[in-house]
Amino acid sequence: MLNEVIVEKMKDLVENCMGDSQAACKSNCPMNTDVKKYVNLIGQGNGEEAIKVIREKLFLPGTLGRICAHPCEQNCRRGDEDSSIAIASLKRYAADNFDNEANWDLSKESSKGKKVAIIGAGPAGAQAAIDLSKQGYDVTIFEKLPVFGGMMRVGIPEYRLPREVIDKEYAILKKLGVEVKLSTEVGKDISFEELEKNYDAILVAVGKQSGRVDRSLENHDAKGVFHAAEYLKEISLTRNFQGAGKRVAVIGGGDVAMDCARSSKRVPGVEVVYSVPLEATFEKMASSNHEIHGAIEESVEFKLGNGISRIIVDENNRVSGLEIKKCLGLFDENGNFNPQFDENQKEIIEIDTLVFAIGQGVDNSFDNAGKLATRRNGTFESDKLTMQSATNEKVFIAGDCANAFIVIEAMAEGRRAAKSIDRFLEGKDLLEGRTIEDEGGYKSKLYLPTEYLPEGWDAAEKVERMSPNTTDGNKRVKDFSEVEMVFTKEQALKEANRCLQCECKLCMKECIMLNDYTDCPKTLFQEYLEKGCKEMDAKIAYSCNMCDQCTLKCPKDFEIKANFGAMRSEYIKDNHGKSPMSGHKAIEVHQYLGYSKMFNTTNAAPNGKKTKYVFFPGCSLPSYNSEAVGNILDHLQDKLGGEVGSLLKCCGKPPKALGQDDLFKERFKSVQKELDKLGAETVIVACQSCFGIFNTYAKQNVVSLWELLPEIGLPESQIGIGKGSDVTFNIHDSCSIRKQTKIHDGIRWIMSELGYNVEELENSREKTRCCGFGGMIVPAVPDVAKRVMERRATETTTGHMVTYCAACRESMEKGNADALHILDLVFGDKYTKAKAQVRNAGPVKQWMTRYKSKMELNKRK
């Protein structure tokens, strides 16, 4: 069983890994629209596919592209750096240019013989009607307005949302066979009780069509005083407002207030329009910036930071003026809305029409009998997830009259309600397997620090956000034509390609082996926690190169290597101390020979000198170049006063890597015994794996040969030997010492002293990639090892790799790069392209070379 520390690490990873987290644009969209995908398609110039992706979730792409409050944009990661992606404008671009009715999905299940009534043809009701109709229900919508769209139709001005766009997109209702009864008011033309009697379920999706005025003010009921709902409704239906005069003041600082002000500029006969918000600056206003800018361009006069002192009327009780007073603050010391005013700073403006845009309420007059429980704010009580009414199980609530504040939220509630109605009518549990995260907007765990953003994200051409063109402010107020234009193709491509395509699967992009077994680490380790190691394929754990690149790429620094290492130990315990991978029998042979007397030797310093240092060449270098082993020992003895002995033996890394912890302890104990026998103070290692093992477990001091050589110098005859060579080398750094900067520097010093030109790889030093030999995967999972080798080898920019690990050198050559060990250069002639050759040898020759290395070391006793 995995130890508690590893289990806790796995649990932490499962809980906090961002690999399966959606980009914030998608997660914060109440309809979970795949924003990242369709924006990417637009950026590729594939608008036809982009609109298909949008329509998988939304039946109103053109509408939402114009009027959505776009929580996706508000949470866009790019917005934390400069400006968020213009997602709504891109949606409109796709809709206006590529939305073909012939491609709409009109598939339906066979009829279930049950009827559903929907009150309200706004976005919530229409969305539910579409979903239920496609599921085989007979759906009838009752709408008291003579037009489609509900408050979206009569509350949003035509210059923002052309009515033909709504009509085109609402046409899907007729295509699906939904019956729509316009100009039919429930509670008047048909009773709510009749619906209860004749329908199997009811969805209440009425809008907030009841406006508010400040009734605490004297003359609030004077002629010329209106609330925003009635004001915008009449303008929307008639492009006029009969009760308007020449001078209009709009109270409020939100989008509805801006809609009222800007609509007033288009009403025949209106000459002057004032906007009177309590907020002292444009930045503090609740309205969207583009709405404020639009109002400014249309010459709306702002009286910022003012509230009403009194409404002035004439002898006919018609508004004739408005006295306003300076607002000093909106909130009290407890954070409650409690405006404070300076009674000494007042101003009178001449008006004849006053519009209050200070909030709207639900018209619940259809519920004559009061059967539906309401909240204090007038909305109906319902379960937030299932949308089922708190007082009537066959009634469901969605949209403005439930919890929604914006169109996209209303649609999401309509969809949730439809799902609940289907379950209700099928006799199923309404809650089972459902979450708000799956059926509504939520805050994503995904957040990438700036250093993890895609390369080139901050290029100059990607910083500035594209804005759609608009018509001239002075000309557009003469009619209700659409103000904002659709993106051009050039604008759309530029804007879409600003998208960061947020995704955290950085470890997946880096690691070859993970992609063979999972979509992200969270999924994999969740499965381990649920099933246990015994039920998982051991091949997974033994496919890890143990290179730590996954952790290097992870914004949260999850130590995935440690998890796989612990699993390996578990598999070893369950398999009587042996690896479960058949290929690892080759490692057993290696270990048998590696600890046999035939291939090992222990030598004190020559000439009876004290053995202060022990040179430990490791396994791979002695199996590759016996002359280099002898030569480097000569050089060390020369530079270190002859006090250098040698030990040829395996450090025990192979069993350690396999998870054979007990065997490793036994093997390293034998190594330590030899070191102690020599009485050495310092071990000089040439192998990077040995460096890690000795650093952790040895009693003696440990120094890398590659740190030491810059201190003691190279053979004089070799300094500058590479000058004039036609070869430029890339350096492959070993992943096992990725944090050992001093070793990295030492290798580069050696190359400089030799006189060879070096061109750094993108993935070098601490960012280096595994050569493919790591983790003992070559004999166990050769196909993964081969792919890792080939990827690393093909990263060469010069065709020539130099390594300081013989196993890494072999990997580079197997990946088809010309590769040398650095000691080939330290003790060789000038290297040129003409000398490139394949140096890899089979196992038999390698062991022969290992034996020769033994002899070389023995010569220097």
Side-chain angles (χ1 to χ4, degrees), residues 423 429-434:
R423 289 192 176 198
D429 188 320
L430 269 61
L431 286 167
E432 184 179 356
R434 300 178 69 181

Side-chain angles (χ1 to χ4, degrees), residues 36 41 88 96 135 209 246 259 261 302 347 407 424 478 480 577 628 654 656 690 697 804:
K36 185 175 76 171
L41 287 166
D96 284 14
Q135 290 172 311
Q209 298 189 21
K246 294 182 178 181
D259 286 343
F302 283 86
E347 176 187 357
V407 172
F424 172 73
K478 296 178 180 180
F480 285 84
K656 178 69 175 173
C690 295
Y697 300 101
Y804 40 106

